[in-house]
Amino acid sequence: MEARQRWESIVDPILQVAAVIFLVAYAAPIVHPGLPGAWDRACSIVVIVTWILFGVDYLVRLVLAKQRWRWFYRNLFSLVILVVPILRPLRLLRLVTLLSVVNRSVAGSLRGKVTIYAAGGVVLLVICGALAITDAERGRPGSSINSFGDGVWWAVTTIATVGYGDTHPVTATGRAIAICLMAGGVALLGVVTGTFASWLIQQVSAQEETAAYATVEHIDRLERKIDALTAQVERLNATRPPGHGGR
């Protein structure tokens, strides 16, 4: 096993747990803005520590990669999320790795896996979007998003591309989050539509195959009956006395 694979096998479960802890520590002060100072500081420390873990993981994977420049270019998005503060809420999307655990309990069909990832992706996008927009918009002049509940409502209407207009971002950070969420919603909608279309085509094909099989089976039964009648007529003809004929 390569050094990078050994590192991933050891660190990935740790990072999955760290991602959940990061989510809780990041979300707690947003959902409950009145947290005592000690709890707020503890959450900030947890966020920083887990952030450092993600950064160390990125650097180690880069060092262990055989083709470092190629790996670097393929993981530019991870680097951007690490170094650009405005995109830090997107780091919560690392929770997508948890879907692999659920995915192993699903049937091996590609459609089943896509369904799991799509459903999980929607939930994660809504949670991350709601937390990020609430953090960015709460208390800003003219903002209509001042609680986590408002953030969830905004995230759901945005990812569904409905956009009632009753809540909307007024800050540059909030608008950047909205763009990412809308892009994710369109992508997930395409995945769901494609999966449903594939399932529908499979069902139609299965019914056509069943009807064709039933027709072939019916024809086979008719042929067997004809063969049986033919054999019976031949036996009757064989048992008739010579010279005996019917009118």
Side-chain angles (χ1 to χ4, degrees), residues 18-19 50 62 74-76 98 102 106 116 118 146 154 168 173 192 195 197 202 211-212 215 222 233 235 239 242 247:
T50 52
L62 175 60
R74 287 186 173 183
N75 293 271
L76 280 176
L98 294 176
V102 181
V106 181
I116 289 296
N146 294 298
W154 172 86
H168 59 277
T173 301
V192 172
T195 303
Q202 185 185 41
T215 301
L222 290 176
V233 170
R235 285 196 301 271
T239 56
R247 292 182 181 180

Side-chain angles (χ1 to χ4, degrees), residues 68-162:
R68 293 178 184 174
W69 281 109
R70 185 177 180 182
W71 188 93
F72 176 79
Y73 284 122
R74 287 186 173 183
N75 293 271
L76 280 176
F77 185 66
S78 297
L79 178 62
V80 170
I81 292 175
L82 279 171
V83 301
V84 179
I86 198 173
L87 295 179
R88 283 184 179 178
L90 296 180
R91 197 57 182 178
L92 294 173
L93 294 178
R94 196 176 188 90
L95 290 169
V96 172
T97 56
L98 294 176
L99 294 177
S100 61
V101 177
V102 181
N103 185 57
R104 286 194 291 269
S105 63
V106 181
S109 67
L110 177 61
R111 189 176 298 107
K113 295 179 180 179
V114 169
T115 302
I116 289 296
Y117 279 110
V122 169
V123 173
L124 288 176
L125 276 177
V126 168
I127 293 175
C128 295
L131 290 171
I133 200 69
T134 305
D135 190 23
E137 295 288 315
R138 176 186 281 148
R140 301 299 189 273
S143 175
S144 56
I145 304 173
N146 294 298
S147 68
F148 181 65
D150 294 336
V152 171
W153 172 249
W154 172 86
V156 170
T157 57
T158 301
I159 199 172
T161 66
V162 176

Side-chain angles (χ1 to χ4, degrees), residues 59-71:
L59 292 175
V60 172
R61 290 174 191 256
L62 175 60
V63 171
L64 295 179
K66 288 184 177 180
Q67 299 177 330
R68 293 178 184 174
W69 281 109
R70 185 177 180 182
W71 188 93

